Every structure is written in structure tokens, then in C-alpha cells.
Amino acid sequence: MKNQIIYLNGNYVGKEDAVISIYDHGFLYGDGVFEGIRAYEGNVFKLTEHIKRLYESAHSIMLEIPHQKEEMADIIIETIRKNKLESAYIRVVVSRGAGDLGLDPRSCSTPTVIVIAEELAIYANDLYERGLKLASVGYRRSSPDVLNPQVKSLNYLNNILVKLSSMQSHADEALILNNQGFVTEGSADNIFIVKNGVIKTPPIYLGALEGITRNAIIDIAKEQGYLVEEVPFTLHDVYTADEVFLTGTAAEVIPVVSVDNRKIGSGYPDVITKDLLNAFRKKTLIDGVLCYSKNL
Ligand code: PMP
């Protein structure tokens, strides 16, 4: 991408000048929070929800973001505009900032705030057509009393380890259980199964991030007249489901056709998953906050 502009601590700078201290506790300890947001044809999708989650994550770790929420929304929109992007993937990062080598967050006086807006690297169409292969992994989802999955923190090592494990099983993505053996989510996506026409997703308290796409899909599915249940389920329920799909800001709604080498349903992306993906894509074009248009 040419002349990419990044927001960094109050300034809009070129990519090469967007540098932070090696003493930043985001880098040293993963001490910080982030969001991944998407803009579709000039509209930012679910901006308020993403900002709310960012501030809640920060509040939970006692990190004060040095902007009001409205100001943060303006910074995000301005970053998209400066990069002249209609469709974009936006990454907002707030770290504890630069401090001493010790863990003590009090040594960090000013949080680092970064907004990156990039051209969208859309998942290959092929993946939506042939569906993903998942592998369940030995690592468990970090439990709320260890590292709460609701905090979208810069510490993604749990997720990276499960991703690595699934790659070793030659799968496209991981399926993570909690320490009671209930299904939670993927490494960076929420999971849904369909059985006898009923759509099911694990309740958040089992140990999943409350995905904004997850919530949008629950709403859309209900609008389309489907029955949706937030209920605990196990690997057996996944193996014997009629359809399985993942949701996330980057992935949208992506079909799963095999889990631990068990074929799911017909073995091909099926009706309800496709229906929800279409309805979701339509929604992204009509919902959202206007950020940029080449015609303006
Ligand atoms: N779970 C995890 C662990 C994630 O990192 C993400 C993506 N950020 C999701 C689920 C999906 O959340 P969302 O739909 O808000 O992108």
C-alpha cells in the first residue's frame, strides 16, 4: 500500500515514521488492548460496538484511554479518510505505553494509541466455497479467572498456541474447548452449529470473546425467522451437526466442512450458512457510519 498514513499518539504519520519505544509495555508484556474493525464501501460497520468493547477491555485492565469515545470514533474515521479507503480493515491498539523494565504499569505515564487502516485482505473466495477444516487442540481457552476472554488484550499467546497446534494438524483453524470440555471458539472467531434447523452458539461465560459479528449474526438469524440458542455443547455435538460456521470481523461468516477429520453434514457449505452470509453482507452495506466515499 502506497503512502499509508497511521494515527500515532495525536499525529498522522507515514508508515515508516510510525515507531514506538522498545520499552512500551504493550511490546514487553502484551499490556494493552485492541480492536479489529471493518469498513464496507465507505461505512464503518458496528463502530459504536467496537469502541464500547475497546473501552470496556481498557477499563477492566485499569488502562485509561486518553480520548473520549467520540474523539476515538473521529480518529478512526479520519484515519480511513486520510488513506482514501472505502473498504478497509482497521486496527486500533492502545497499550500501557513506555515504562521501565519491571511489570509495574505505574512506570508507564502515557498510553500509546495507534490506528491503522489498511486495504482489505479479503479471505480467498475459495475458502467460502469449499469451507474450512478445523482441528480441536490440546490447549484450553484461558479461563475467566486466569485471563478473561472478554478482555481483547494484546496478550494473544493462548490464541497463537492453539493456532499453531491446529496448523500441526493441517487444519485451517482451531477449535478450542474450555477446561470442562465444552466448545468455546476458534483462535480468532466465534463458532455456531446448526442442528435440525436450530442455530446454536456457546454462551459467552463458557470462555469466548463476545464477538460483534456473533451478536450481529444472532440478530440477523432471528430476523430471518431462525431459532437461535446460546447453549453449551461438546465436540460430539459439533461432529454430528448439520452445519458449522465461524464468525468474525475478518472472516464474516465462514463455513466449516470438517472437524477433526469428521465430515460435517453434507461435507459442503450448506443452506443456512450461505443464507446468513448473504444476509450479513447485505447488512454491512446498509448499516454503519459513513467514513469515506470516492464520490464525495
Ligand atoms: N474470538 C476471538 C478470540 C477473537 O479474537 C475474535 C476477533 N477479534 C472473535 C472471537 C470474533 O469477534 P468479532 O466478531 O468481534 O471480530
Side-chain angles (χ1 to χ4, degrees):
M1 187 176 173
K2 278 184 205 154
N3 305 324
Q4 194 183 347
I5 306 290
I6 315 273
Y7 174 85
L8 173 63
N9 294 334
N11 300 305
Y12 293 92
V13 296
K15 193 172 177 176
E16 303 70 32
D17 299 319
V19 288
I20 61 163
S21 165
I22 57 163
Y23 285 91
D24 194 301
H25 281 208
F27 172 68
L28 286 176
Y29 301 117
D31 186 358
V33 295
F34 79 102
E35 274 299 317
I37 312 176
R38 239 170 117 158
Y40 290 88
E41 298 193 14
N43 293 311
V44 194
F45 189 60
K46 303 278 181 196
L47 180 59
T48 313
E49 287 80 353
H50 281 285
I51 290 180
K52 179 168 176 277
R53 190 169 66 183
L54 179 76
Y55 279 72
E56 286 182 355
S57 292
H59 181 69
S60 188
I61 68 162
M62 298 178 88
L63 169 59
E64 203 170 322
I65 301 179
H67 301 287
Q68 297 299 312
K69 288 184 187 154
E70 299 71 27
E71 229 182 312
M72 182 60 89
D74 290 344
I75 292 168
I76 292 169
I77 291 170
E78 191 55 27
T79 309
I80 298 168
R81 286 194 181 140
K82 286 207 184 299
N83 286 287
K84 299 185 167 46
L85 293 169
E86 286 185 328
S87 294
Y89 180 81
I90 303 113
R91 173 62 55 95
V92 183
V93 181
V94 184
S95 80
R96 193 77 65 182
D100 299 336
L101 280 183
L103 287 180
D104 190 344
R106 289 171 302 182
S107 73
C108 310
S109 53
T110 320
T112 301
V113 181
I114 300 167
V115 181
I116 306 168
E118 282 196 352
E119 242 157 57
L120 201 61
I122 307 175
Y123 275 67
N125 254 341
D126 168 52
L127 277 183
Y128 292 86
E129 276 152 29
R130 71 173 160 81
L132 299 182
K133 287 184 182 167
L134 301 194
S136 61
V137 295
Y139 290 108
R140 294 302 179 240
R141 189 72 177 102
S142 62
S143 60
D145 56 341
V146 178
L147 187 56
N148 198 315
Q150 297 318 314
V151 177
K152 206 162 158 49
S153 82
L154 295 182
N155 198 318
Y156 252 49
L157 211 43
N158 182 219
N159 313 61
I160 290 164
L161 288 171
V162 302
K163 185 82 188 172
L164 278 173
S165 277
S166 69
M167 285 160 63
Q168 274 158 1
S169 303
H170 306 288
D172 302 301
E173 172 57 309
L175 186 52
I176 324 173
L177 309 181
N178 68 10
N179 47 25
Q180 275 94 47
F182 290 106
V183 170
T184 62
E185 59 178 343
S187 70
D189 340 84
N190 292 106
I191 182 165
F192 287 75
I193 62 173
V194 182
K195 184 76 177 183
N196 300 328
V198 180
I199 299 171
K200 304 179 190 194
T201 193
I204 289 309
Y205 65 78
L206 288 182
L209 177 73
E210 186 170 356
I212 289 165
T213 321
R214 169 194 186 273
N215 290 352
I217 286 300
I218 293 176
D219 291 345
I220 289 169
K222 287 181 179 165
E223 279 163 28
Q224 305 279 99
Y226 293 109
L227 192 60
V228 184
E229 293 178 350
E230 292 180 59
V231 284
F233 52 80
T234 62
L235 272 181
H236 173 78
D237 302 307
V238 178
Y239 297 155
T240 55
D242 302 323
E243 297 184 40
V244 176
F245 60 88
L246 303 177
T247 64
T249 297
E252 303 180 304
V253 176
I254 194 152
V256 172
V257 293
S258 124
V259 179
D260 294 338
N261 300 316
R262 275 86 163 171
K263 186 168 82 170
I264 302 301
S266 61
Y268 296 96
D270 224 324
V271 183
I272 296 181
T273 307
K274 286 185 187 163
D275 189 24
L276 291 175
L277 175 60
N278 286 336
F280 177 79
R281 286 197 168 149
K282 277 190 195 135
K283 192 114 192 162
T284 58
L285 299 180
I286 50 172
D287 266 18
V289 178
L290 182 67
C291 58
Y292 176 75
S293 168
K294 289 197 169 116
N295 305 321
L296 280 182

